[in-house]
Each structure stands twice: as structure tokens, then as C-alpha cells.
Amino acid sequence: MSDLISYQLEDGIATLTLNNGKVNAISPDVIAAFNAALDQAVQDRAVVVITGQPGILSGGYDLKVMTSSPQNAVALVTAGSTLARRMLAHPYPIIVACPGHAIAKGAFILLSADYRIGVEGPFNIGLNEVQIGMTMHHAGIELARDRLRKSAFHRSVINGEIFNPEGAMEAGFLDKVVPAEQLMATAVAAAQQLKKINMTAHKNTKLKVRKALLETLDKAIELDQQHLG
């Protein structure tokens, strides 16, 4: 599949493992590999589990790309937002098994999934864009607005508040927190449970539930291309 995202299919569960350096930076090549892996998962009619390396899901977009030129930054953010939209509309369930830190785009991967499991420990989860001098993009705002609890939305997006795993569960980034050694077993058990649902009903219901969000994201992605460009 790709060195950047490994793909393992077992018993109707496709495990996608991000592997791009020590912070699993999200680059154009990682997004291309992500899309190829999701294509394969659709062909395999598999429930998807997304994970990273021990201690980290992702630290966000590749800063080398983001600082190389405005055009490259816009292209990467657009590709990332389009990937988030795709995940939200994916025809099979997507679980994220978050093995530690999830910052910026790493946290947006959590917000784009159907079920999110984190691990106990001194890990940081959240949206640090304003901390590092980036005005939050429209698509990010809309995704966070829809998926985070109202009480956490402003603190997260406007204040750049970063949460520990338990706080991230309260905020809406995670659905469950388990000891690190139980992460993958818990994710596989959740995937086995989700395999029992009717996938046509899942897909159609997901598209109904997220119709307004998907339409809002389409507009937001367009706005970001105009404003960031």
C-alpha cells in the first residue's frame, strides 16, 4: 500500500497505521496514501480502524510544506479538509484508535471519525492553531462546531485550549479512554460490534445525519481556497 500508511486487512477490519516520522506529520503524500487506503477499504467492504505510532496519532500538517509557499499551504489544507469530508461520508464505519497525542490535523482526524478511542497518560489532544499564529480555517471551524460539545468549542477553537485524554473525551474529541495496552483490543472489539450493523442503513443514515455538515464543509472548503489563496 504505502510506507506512510500501512494497510492490514483481517476478518473484515482494515487497520490503517500512520507512519511518517516522529510526529506522523500530515503531508500531501500522506493524504494521497490515506485516500488510497480508504479506496481499498471500500473495495474490501471493511470497517476501518485508523491508528498511529505508540504515543502519537499525529502532530498535524507537515510544517515544511505549510511554510514552503502560500500555494503549497492552501493546497495541503484543502486536501486535508477534503479528506475530513470524505471520512465523514465514508460508507463503512471508521474508528480511530488514538495512541497518544493528537494535535491540529491529528485532532481533526478524531473529529472526522465515527468512534474514537484514546489512551490514558500525559497526552495532549486539541487544536493549537491560534497558539502557533494560524487563524483557524473555515472548514476546521465548522467541523469543530459540529463535533465538539458547545462548552468546549470556543475554548478549543478560539483559545487554543489543549486537553488531556479525559478532558478530550469530555470536550468531544474522544468517546472512550482505555489503558494504552488495551487500545488495539478495544478498537478491534468495537469494530467487531460495528460489523454487525446493516452497512446500507449505516451509510444512508450517516449521510442523512451529516447532510447539513457536509454541505457546510463544501462551502467552507471553497471559502478557504479564496481567503487563504
Side-chain angles (χ1 to χ4, degrees):
M1 182 52 77
S2 167
D3 292 340
L4 297 171
I5 294 189
S6 67
Y7 184 94
Q8 182 183 7
L9 180 68
E10 190 173 335
D11 192 24
I13 301 166
T15 302
L16 282 55
T17 306
L18 278 72
N19 184 19
N20 185 28
K22 64 180 184 178
V23 299
N24 277 338
I26 305 296
S27 66
D29 289 343
V30 168
I31 290 174
F34 224 126
N35 279 307
L38 289 176
D39 288 343
Q40 186 63 50
V42 172
Q43 280 187 26
D44 292 332
R45 304 174 67 82
V47 173
V48 173
V49 174
I50 296 167
T51 192
Q53 307 309 310
I56 189 152
L57 178 66
S58 174
Y61 286 128
D62 188 330
L63 289 180
K64 284 186 199 144
V65 178
M66 291 296 285
T67 56
S68 61
S69 78
Q71 292 80 10
N72 289 345
V74 172
L76 182 53
V77 171
T78 301
S81 297
T82 305
L83 174 64
R85 190 207 184 283
R86 176 182 185 174
M87 287 175 63
L88 288 161
H90 191 72
Y92 298 93
I94 294 181
I95 297 164
V96 177
C98 180
H101 302 297
I103 297 293
K105 185 58 185 175
F108 280 123
I109 290 171
L110 295 174
L111 296 181
S112 305
D114 300 311
Y115 192 68
R116 300 81 44 89
I117 307 160
V119 295
E120 297 169 354
F123 298 115
N124 295 324
I125 295 172
L127 307 172
N128 71 337
E129 279 79 353
V130 297
Q131 287 186 23
I132 60 170
M134 290 176 66
T135 300
M136 183 69 80
H137 55 303
H138 290 95
I141 290 168
E142 296 307 333
L143 182 52
R145 191 197 308 278
D146 189 86
R147 300 301 306 271
L148 291 178
R149 293 207 165 86
K150 199 169 182 182
S151 59
F153 168 63
H154 289 266
R155 287 160 51 203
S156 178
V157 173
I158 297 172
N159 299 357
E161 184 172 334
I162 301 299
F163 302 90
N164 64 21
E166 288 74 18
M169 185 166 66
E170 208 174 291
F173 287 103
L174 296 172
D175 297 299
K176 188 173 196 173
V177 175
V178 298
E181 64 273 13
Q182 293 175 22
L183 177 65
M184 291 315 294
T186 305
V188 169
Q192 293 286 8
Q193 193 60 39
L194 283 168
K195 273 172 59 184
K196 296 175 184 174
I197 65 178
N198 181 291
M199 292 303 165
T200 302
H202 168 80
K203 177 186 76 172
N204 291 339
T205 303
K206 181 187 282 189
L207 291 175
K208 274 188 180 179
V209 167
R210 295 184 179 156
K211 182 174 186 288
L213 173 59
L214 295 172
E215 289 172 356
T216 299
L217 281 179
D218 287 337
K219 290 174 191 159
I221 291 167
E222 274 185 45
L223 267 178
D224 285 330
Q225 287 176 293
Q226 293 164 18
H227 286 210
L228 297 173

